[in-house]
Amino acid sequence: MEKINSTQLPNGLRIVHLYSPSTQMVYFNLLYNVGARNEDYNHTGIAHLLEHLMFEGTKAVPSFDEPLERAGGENNAYTTNDVTSYYISLPKHNAELAFWMESDRMCNVLFGKRKVDVQRQVVMEEFKQTTLNKPYGDVSHILRSMAYKKHPYRWSTIGRKLSHIADVPLSVIRNFYKQYYSPDNAVLSVVGNISFSQVVEWSQKWFGPIPARGVNAAELPQEPRQVRARRKVVYRNVPENALYMGFHMGGRLSPDYYPCDVISDILSNGYSGRLMVRLVKEKKLFTKIDASISGCEDAGMFWIYSRVAPGVSVEVAEAALWGELDALKSELVPQEELEKVRNRFESEFCFRNIGGENLCNNIALACMRGNLDSHFKEPELYRSVTASCVRNAAKELFRKGNSNVLYYLKGKE
């Protein structure tokens, strides 16, 4: 692995670069430190809507996709609760185009009513397809509102309500853009067949003139420690009863992040995970079951998603699931089982960093977290998780008072 280069422009834009001579492509990622968690409770879905509007063009570039496609490039974006990322891949001889176009839309996006209304309708349709008209589509919304009472993770990236997208004033969208789309709130990551000196030169040329806006770190309300179990039952027109459980855990930089991630793999490591083997294959209490962590920057969640087998009561299924969680609190995980999880992570880590696009995104995130080397040290951090670490993390994680349990049952609402 080549050395990661980094610098910062006077206006606050952080730049990271990794030279890769084995490709003729250049991968470009502009990561903004803003997501759904920066929204107001009464105006949600703005970060995602703004992501769509960023492709509607500027005075200099009326259509964002067209020039890139003519230059042999591709581009896309994503929004999470924590960040918004815009990424481009181009042949190396056309790489400067990405610097110009991204610097242009950092400060010159047009918010014409027609274009806003078009994207508003697109996002509203997405909300309907993913939340309102899809079986189990509202699960994330229900679980978030159960688990979070203070922190803005209590709503999904798509927004809390359809009306928030339909009715958000143009002025609110424009102010959100002006507040957070600034060089001092962004990381520019470049990977590929391009020198660091060239990256710095073009960054200074195109981004250097953009003034910093004095973006301050968001002071978000922190979620209090949950001490009492929360339970809810809902009825929906779905084919199977479902059981969902959520437990609070630390954020991306928390010491318990890696032990909790290891626990999720122990429980749900493909077809050989404990929950699949014991509760689906052997006891036949569930038809499917999965465990994962949210991976949030702030304090996140450990989720368990499951569908209960026909003829099995949800209460019986839940009791069996608690039995597996309690076992992790009282017994040490066998070394062989732990080693399997570690090996799988290392394999997945390698695959996640093969493509320039993924690598570009990963080092941008590491830079935004304040530790550029952290991403490549992750295999060591997972290797350092012992059986005792797993048991100790499970004791705190799987407290009854830390649980959020949702029965999602077949039937009329």
Side-chain angles (χ1 to χ4, degrees):
M1 182 66 68
E2 295 281 340
K3 174 190 174 186
I4 300 179
N5 305 295
S6 63
T7 189
Q8 184 168 328
L9 299 186
N11 61 9
L13 179 67
R14 288 166 285 174
I15 301 168
V16 289
H17 163 264
L18 187 62
Y19 178 57
S20 179
S22 62
T23 178
Q24 295 303 304
M25 299 294 290
V26 172
Y27 302 91
F28 182 102
N29 189 304
L30 190 59
L31 184 70
Y32 290 96
N33 189 18
V34 61
R37 66 176 180 172
N38 300 99
E39 298 165 346
D40 180 83
Y41 182 75
N42 296 311
H43 292 110
T44 62
I46 299 174
H48 179 234
L49 176 58
L50 180 55
E51 176 211 312
H52 280 249
L53 290 169
M54 291 288 283
F55 291 89
E56 283 294 329
T58 66
K59 186 175 181 180
V61 187
S63 172
F64 194 84
D65 291 340
E66 187 179 329
L68 288 169
E69 291 171 358
R70 287 204 308 266
E74 296 180 346
N75 77 107
N76 213 324
Y78 70 83
T79 307
T80 70
N81 283 78
D82 297 306
V83 299
T84 308
S85 171
Y86 300 88
Y87 50 97
I88 296 172
S89 59
L90 279 165
K92 69 174 185 177
H93 57 274
N94 289 331
E96 188 178 5
L97 183 63
F99 290 80
W100 168 55
M101 292 180 65
E102 283 293 9
S103 65
D104 179 47
R105 71 172 174 176
M106 179 181 274
C107 47
N108 295 321
V109 167
L110 299 175
F111 291 98
K113 184 178 184 304
R114 184 188 66 81
K115 291 188 174 184
V116 171
D117 286 345
V118 167
Q119 292 305 322
R120 193 194 301 269
Q121 288 300 317
V122 170
V123 176
M124 287 171 65
E125 286 303 313
E126 185 179 340
F127 190 103
K128 293 174 185 177
Q129 290 174 13
T130 61
T131 303
L132 302 181
N133 301 329
K134 179 182 177 182
Y136 310 98
D138 61 347
V139 166
S140 175
H141 295 259
I142 297 171
L143 289 173
R144 284 179 179 275
S145 66
M146 287 178 65
Y148 291 101
K149 302 303 179 184
K150 297 290 185 181
H151 195 283
Y153 285 160
R154 55 189 158 148
W155 58 84
S156 300
T157 305
I158 192 68
R160 197 165 62 84
K161 297 180 179 179
L162 184 63
S163 60
H164 283 189
I165 303 166
D167 301 334
V168 59
L170 181 57
S171 59
V172 173
I173 302 171
R174 186 183 290 112
N175 289 338
F176 194 86
Y177 170 71
K178 289 181 178 179
Q179 181 176 359
Y180 294 108
Y181 278 63
S182 173
D184 51 325
N185 197 45
V187 172
L188 171 59
S189 172
V190 183
V191 171
N193 199 331
I194 184 172
S195 68
F196 183 49
S197 60
Q198 184 66 83
V199 169
V200 173
E201 178 186 335
W202 283 343
S203 297
Q204 292 172 335
K205 175 182 178 181
W206 293 111
F207 289 94
I210 303 175
R213 294 200 176 108
V215 180
N216 297 317
E219 294 184 6
L220 303 176
Q222 295 305 300
E223 191 66 24
R225 187 173 188 266
Q226 185 180 335
V227 294
R228 292 184 180 178
R230 298 168 185 161
R231 305 182 65 87
K232 189 168 187 174
V233 180
V234 299
Y235 293 89
R236 298 287 190 270
N237 182 22
V238 292
E240 291 180 301
N241 290 332
L243 169 64
Y244 301 93
M245 300 175 74
F247 303 88
H248 289 274
M249 57 172 282
R252 199 63 181 73
L253 300 179
S254 171
D256 74 337
Y257 180 86
Y258 296 100
C260 288
D261 198 12
V262 168
I263 290 172
S264 74
D265 265 13
I266 291 171
L267 291 175
S268 181
N269 190 352
Y271 288 104
S272 63
R274 288 189 178 191
L275 299 183
M276 177 62 73
V277 170
R278 299 176 183 179
L279 301 185
V280 176
K281 295 179 180 178
E282 295 177 1
K283 297 183 179 179
K284 302 186 186 309
L285 297 175
F286 298 88
T287 58
K288 62 188 299 186
I289 192 165
D290 191 26
S292 63
I293 61 174
S294 60
C296 298
E297 298 301 317
D298 292 337
M301 295 294 296
F302 186 106
W303 298 115
I304 298 176
Y305 301 87
S306 67
R307 303 282 174 83
V308 180
V312 176
S313 76
V314 184
E315 291 81 5
V316 168
E318 183 191 352
L321 182 49
W322 273 110
E324 295 299 329
L325 304 184
D326 289 339
L328 286 172
K329 294 157 60 176
S330 59
E331 305 166 6
L332 290 175
V333 176
Q335 191 62 31
E336 182 180 351
E337 188 176 11
L338 191 58
E339 190 67 19
K340 180 186 70 173
V341 170
R342 290 168 173 165
N343 291 341
R344 175 168 172 156
F345 173 79
E346 289 188 9
S347 174
E348 291 176 346
F349 179 85
C350 292
F351 280 111
R352 285 201 306 268
N353 288 285
I354 288 176
E357 187 176 282
N358 290 336
L359 187 55
C360 197
N361 179 72
N362 291 336
I363 64 174
L365 287 167
C367 181
M368 186 158 285
R369 291 173 185 139
N371 188 346
L372 195 52
D373 296 326
S374 62
H375 173 67
F376 295 103
K377 289 181 178 178
E378 281 201 332
E380 300 174 29
L381 294 171
Y382 280 94
R383 280 280 167 198
S384 69
V385 175
T386 65
S388 294
C389 292
V390 169
R391 184 171 62 181
N392 291 338
K395 288 179 180 179
E396 172 60 23
L397 183 65
F398 298 131
R399 291 182 294 107
K400 287 288 178 70
N402 190 39
S403 65
N404 298 268
V405 179
L406 172 64
Y407 283 14
Y408 198 99
L409 308 180
K410 296 186 298 182
K412 294 183 180 181
E413 298 181 30

